[in-house]
Amino acid sequence: MIRASNILRVGFALAVWCGAALAADPLPPEKIGVATAPVPTPHRLYLTDLQIAHITDGVVHIVDGQSFKYLGMFSTGLFGITALTSDSSEMLVASTYYTKRNRGDRFDQLEAFDTKTFALKKEIQIPAKHAMALPYKGTIAPSVDDAWVFIQNATPLSSVTVVDHKAWKVTAEIPTLGCWIVLPSQSNPRRFATLCGDGTLVTVTLNEKGDSATQARSEKLFDAEKDPLFVQGERVGDSYYFVSYEGNVKVINVGGDVAKVEDAWSLVDDADKKAGWKPGGYQLQAVHAATKRLYVGMHDAAKNGSHKNPAKEIWVFDLATKKRIQRAPGSNSIAMALTKEAKPTLYAYDGINLNFVRYETAPELKPVASGDKVGDFAGLIETH
Amino acid sequence: MIRASNILRVGFALAVWCGAALAADPLPPEKIGVATAPVPTPHRLYLTDLQIAHITDGVVHIVDGQSFKYLGMFSTGLFGITALTSDSSEMLVASTYYTKRNRGDRFDQLEAFDTKTFALKKEIQIPAKHAMALPYKGTIAPSVDDAWVFIQNATPLSSVTVVDHKAWKVTAEIPTLGCWIVLPSQSNPRRFATLCGDGTLVTVTLNEKGDSATQARSEKLFDAEKDPLFVQGERVGDSYYFVSYEGNVKVINVGGDVAKVEDAWSLVDDADKKAGWKPGGYQLQAVHAATKRLYVGMHDAAKNGSHKNPAKEIWVFDLATKKRIQRAPGSNSIAMALTKEAKPTLYAYDGINLNFVRYETAPELKPVASGDKVGDFAGLIETH
Amino acid sequence: MKWFDEFFERQARAVAQKTSRRSALTKISRALVGTAFLLPVLPFARVAQAAHGGGAAPDAKLDPMNDTHCEYWRYCSLDGFLCTCCGGSVTKCPPGSQASSVTWIGTCHNPDDGRDYIVSYNDCCGIASCGRCFCNANEGERPGYRLSVHNDVNWCMGNESSIYHCTVSVVLGVSGGAG
Amino acid sequence: MKWFDEFFERQARAVAQKTSRRSALTKISRALVGTAFLLPVLPFARVAQAAHGGGAAPDAKLDPMNDTHCEYWRYCSLDGFLCTCCGGSVTKCPPGSQASSVTWIGTCHNPDDGRDYIVSYNDCCGIASCGRCFCNANEGERPGYRLSVHNDVNWCMGNESSIYHCTVSVVLGVSGGAG
């Protein structure tokens, strides 16, 4: 009886309100709804946040870099690793679930969130081995044509799960013992390379079905002991630009059967070395192919263990001349990414103030604006 | 081959270390282990933390009130509601799960954590209706003899799930429409009362098997409109001490078939009223039966909506004379609890600094020490 | 006005489901003096805010017409994250979330037109906690035995996923027809 | 010495499982100067700490023998929550959690005896993140292709529950037999 009488009462009250509305123009009754995601721009930023203090509750924050307005989020769960598809239409997430939240049976999934609607588009179970890693670029990666998704595994033994993106099924698990990070090739979408602990790269080439692969190990291309490469590679065609702990650039081509070094040079001169300037951060550099620019987060007085320090400065190099052409304030950057534009904007993530800083890149690199705090334990930016 | 050779290498290295150990007394190799939970004392504090910014990751923090040392935690998940058993041997938690963390199929569980070992002792599925409420006392409650566990439900329709604690099975779901909070009786462990929106209390009496119940509604015992009772009731025998928004005490006996008011008086005199002193907080009062003391968190300049404000002062009342006998600093208390001792200690949780404050209660109430920050969105203290 | 009819029916059902009294619709007058809420950055500021709210001097930055601040007039009984800071708006849930099927209700004074309005606080559900712009206001808020005006429960409770994300504030109408 | 034999075998297996090189056991000298880490309260302080660590003046409060502070000597490559703040100890996981079956390794200088020690950083697993005393030190830390000396992965990965809670620091022995 309670229900019926209340409906009458509510109905009466609403009728009264409606009468009032006509008489004196109060605010009209409103309808609740769900917002439509805004049309993406090149300045839309995706920030992957591990949330270490609440490890099962990872997210990707979606922010408009022009207004720094918060647009929404994707839930990524326990050590979710993330990558935009090459066409930016989906955010790919590999994550781990337990049937009882923190316990029970483990299962892993690859999930695709629609960047147009922010809704979960599709999901598929994958081998329960996905690398529970901080969000480094290349822990998960689409092929350049988005036909394949490559997912780093660690049990801690390394392997790579291959997913046919169109058929949306797992086709293979490729053992890559002692190697880490997927580096897709541009010229051959069924090929990727991976960095190995002995200083070699292993190049994996899948067959057409993606269910078997050949592997070829390069010569030793870097010294993993004395001058390790940061795993954050910036791709231009088939070439990946890496920087090393000691401040050397190495350009490695992954287009062929076997990876090879194309070029190598140093970011630091004798004076820089004396002051201890070295690269540091998580996503610590960015490359823009058209304008031939390399941006690297640097800190001075570097010492054993400072290689993840926030940037004191961001150094700008001309890839043609291999010369430093500018030093800009570092904004405590621990992650940075360029917009995919002919005249790019650089976005840095300040690891101390936990906010985005926008830099114009021309005529020279310059911080121009910063947003409010976003994220708690974030380390990877992607631009739409 | 890698594995075998490494085992040899590690073996060799360890042999070398052992040699060194004998020669010059370096630190010996250590063994990893899991700590044993300390023996509980009356000063062990359990703090239920909803973690609203990470709603699936709720916890109970366990802290030693004497040293303020952090002892461990229980995971309580999504809006887990909690209660110590009457013998303090278990922390009971009713929580909600989804098969895919944030989505999928919902199921609810009652879980019992062992306060001796901090391990999950047992779990059972319960109707998927548990009240997703802030951690108010009485959202879940054991009977005084620990034979039964009563769990508040909300769909939002109210009901109470009854669990046979020894048999560890659900025996009934009792509809309690429009009512909220379980108030177990001492004299009859199969009886509880609940506060209803029309100002009555409904008394529920279970049969011996706990699978059916009779209900009796009291007369109107309080004015839910003009002077609502805070739901935090402090039990002495069959009597619950409540305070109201306007600062009145109401003592309600739930021992009989029908609840009745035993006593009622005011916390505030005319001068207090003029200054706007009113009770406020979440777990806003505590009663000590042996010493006949009531402690209430109070704030002045109260206004509509200030009833959850942290305490500016804690007022002490003598239950025999119904007089205020002391005003002590409030420590921004939003929750407080007494140790279960003949000469009790009061612990308050500072809702602004997010730490515990210890008060001696004799010869008078006085804050004597405070701990480090613990918790993010906590609102309920229990003492062992 | 089809949307309005549907809206009316849905709200009436929702209200009927969760209250056994007409209390939800009772006009509760709003004290304007001293309602200067801080804009909290962290969740625990809910209490800091509540504390400072008591008798704090009005602050010029606290604009009752700014819907990303706690002191926005509609938020007088809102306990949660503002959807306006989470990718939604005052009345719209962020993309990818779902509006709650049941709600609690407040009565808030609009300083712009001098009227008191019934506001429905719908939680938005199904994605991880937003964690931004936490507010905790409690005008007219009552304990759980008056569930329809209680804000210390998860109003995503009736949804397919009851994961709480943020809260919107939807005007249902003028309070008690007094506007 | 049965416990030691078991320990030896278990550690040897664990190390063998996760590294393809002897690098884990390579002595990495520890720079003592300027290793003044702050004691962070919030997770994001990992980076603040890292930033301030660079060239900061020594602080009397930063005691390398206090095991609830980031600058405790064993924590030279620890990235996570200190179990000493979570109900455990330097070598023991908090009650109710499980020690990780695989680990990463650091080489840390003990100022008390002047020796460098191999330290195994075991994560403790199976209960929600502790969230207290976050530290991020990276001496000798290497990228994921040297997984056994990499601290940006979840070393609970091999456990029945891989939920990360906190990290302990277990002395395996003197580095390179040089002690």
Side-chain angles (χ1 to χ4, degrees), chain A residues 146-198:
Chain A
D146 286 325
W148 310 96
V149 181
F150 308 118
I151 302 161
Q152 179 71 53
N153 294 326
T155 63
L157 297 179
S158 271
S159 64
V160 172
T161 293
V162 179
V163 174
D164 180 328
H165 186 243
K166 195 175 290 179
W168 200 241
K169 63 172 187 182
V170 175
T171 58
E173 184 194 338
I174 313 291
T176 53
L177 205 68
C179 307
W180 196 251
I181 294 296
V182 173
L183 306 165
S185 154
Q186 180 176 57
S187 56
N188 182 349
R190 285 183 281 108
R191 173 170 288 166
F192 65 85
T194 180
L195 299 159
C196 304
D198 58 1

Side-chain angles (χ1 to χ4, degrees), chain B residues 13 16-17, chain D residues 22 25-27 116 118 173-179:
Chain B
V16 171
W17 300 336
Chain D
R22 204 185 156 214
L25 302 175
T26 304
K27 177 180 166 181
D116 291 342
I118 307 279
V174 176
S175 172

Side-chain angles (χ1 to χ4, degrees), chain A residues 52-53 55 79 98 102 132 134 136 157 180 197 225 228-229 245 282 303-305 307-309 351 354 377-378, chain D residues 17 28-29 44 46-47 50 53 129 136 138-146 151-154 160-163:
Chain A
I52 194 171
I55 200 73
F79 279 92
Y98 285 91
N102 291 359
M132 296 192 187
L134 262 63
Y136 284 100
L157 297 179
W180 196 251
E225 197 62 54
L229 296 184
Y245 278 30
Y282 289 79
K303 58 179 190 296
N304 179 4
H307 55 281
K308 295 174 190 169
N309 278 21
L354 306 182
F377 201 80
Chain D
Q17 273 169 4
I28 298 158
S29 65
F44 54 77
R46 65 169 179 147
V47 283
S129 305
N136 183 13
N138 295 289
E139 286 188 32
E141 200 267 353
R142 291 289 179 269
Y145 50 75
R146 288 282 177 95
N151 65 17
D152 285 341
V153 291
N154 177 15
E160 189 176 335
S161 167
S162 54
I163 305 297

Side-chain angles (χ1 to χ4, degrees), chain C residues 39 65-72 75 82 84-85 133 135:
Chain C
L39 175 65
M65 304 315 280
N66 180 335
D67 63 18
T68 61
H69 288 185
C70 290
E71 76 284 2
Y72 180 57
Y75 300 157
L82 303 181
T84 49
C85 296
C133 298
C135 297

Side-chain angles (χ1 to χ4, degrees), chain A residues 301 303, chain D residues 30-37 49-58 62 139:
Chain A
K303 58 179 190 296
Chain D
R30 188 176 193 253
L32 264 180
V33 186
T35 52
F37 294 107
Q49 154 206 314
H52 289 107
L62 301 175
E139 286 188 32

Side-chain angles (χ1 to χ4, degrees), chain B residues 52-56 78-79 98 102 106 132-134 136 154-157 178 180 195-197 222 224-225 228-229 231 245 282 303-305 307-310 334 351-352 354 376-378, chain C residues 17-18 20-21 23 28-29 34-35 43-44 46-48 50-51 53-54 81 102 128-129 134 136 138-147 151-155 157 160-164:
Chain B
I52 195 171
H54 301 280
I55 200 72
T56 55
L78 178 64
F79 280 92
Y98 284 91
N102 292 358
R106 171 178 174 175
M132 296 192 188
L134 263 62
Y136 285 100
T155 65
L157 297 178
W180 195 252
L195 299 159
C196 305
F222 66 100
E225 196 61 55
L229 296 184
V231 295
Y245 278 31
Y282 289 79
K303 59 178 192 295
N304 179 4
H307 55 281
K308 296 175 191 170
N309 277 21
I334 56 165
I352 291 176
L354 306 182
D376 288 306
F377 202 79
Chain C
Q17 275 171 1
K18 68 197 147 52
S20 60
R21 296 278 295 168
S23 60
I28 298 157
S29 65
T35 53
F44 54 76
R46 65 170 179 146
V47 282
F81 303 113
V102 288
S129 305
F134 188 87
N136 182 13
N138 295 291
E139 285 187 33
E141 200 267 352
R142 291 290 179 267
Y145 50 74
R146 287 284 177 96
L147 205 59
N151 64 18
D152 285 341
V153 291
N154 178 15
W155 285 102
M157 67 174 99
E160 189 177 334
S161 167
S162 54
I163 306 296
Y164 169 69

Side-chain angles (χ1 to χ4, degrees), chain B residues 191-225:
Chain B
R191 174 170 288 165
F192 66 87
T194 180
L195 299 159
C196 305
D198 58 0
T200 66
L201 272 74
V202 163
T203 298
V204 174
T205 309
L206 294 162
N207 67 355
E208 284 197 5
K209 290 181 176 171
D211 59 5
S212 79
T214 58
Q215 297 196 21
R217 188 178 293 265
S218 73
E219 297 187 3
K220 183 174 168 179
L221 302 183
F222 66 100
D223 189 330
E225 196 61 55

